[in-house]
Amino acid sequence: MPRDGRPAQGNVLASRLIHRAHAESGWFLYAPACALVEADRARPGTAEHLASLPGITVLDLDLAAALAVARQETWAAAHSQYAAQPTPDRPDGAIIATTAPHRWAGEPVRVLDLTP
């Protein structure tokens, strides 16, 4: 049970993604640091748990990401959108896996709906 006393609510789709990123080469899962902060505020212990999982790469808030933060409603959204953009390491960009796909309607990102 998480530290907040609420029962853990696992997500089968998210678990499969995490397993695949750990088990298969070429699969990567990125967790923007600002998104981890927001997740931890909603459910204490989430950030530490996610950051400790094999196959998860925490993306730091570098200068370019920090400048992008001002363009969105929340730091988590800004950092996630920034992380989803194409880079030399990720020429096709990344996909945002979320249980709130409606939040990304109209945004220039690809979304994977993790709603159970």
Side-chain angles (χ1 to χ4, degrees):
M1 186 172 291
R3 291 186 302 199
D4 64 4
R6 293 183 285 178
Q9 296 176 347
N11 182 299
V12 173
L13 297 173
S15 294
R16 287 179 184 161
L17 287 174
I18 292 165
H19 173 74
R20 196 161 193 180
H22 175 66
E24 293 185 35
S25 65
W27 272 80
F28 303 96
L29 290 178
Y30 302 100
C34 291
L36 288 177
V37 169
E38 191 170 300
D40 207 69
R41 286 180 178 162
R43 186 178 282 279
T46 299
E48 184 177 3
H49 174 70
L50 286 173
S52 72
L53 292 172
I56 302 285
T57 301
V58 176
L59 298 178
D60 294 331
L61 185 64
D62 60 13
L63 177 59
L67 295 173
V69 163
R71 298 184 192 120
Q72 291 290 335
E73 186 176 319
T74 69
W75 285 37
H79 201 185
S80 297
Q81 184 170 346
Y82 173 79
Q85 301 309 307
T87 66
D89 291 340
R90 298 181 305 275
D92 293 328
I95 298 169
I96 296 177
T98 180
T99 56
H102 58 280
R103 189 294 166 221
W104 297 100
E107 297 289 345
V109 296
R110 295 178 295 156
V111 173
L112 174 62
D113 185 354
L114 294 180
T115 304

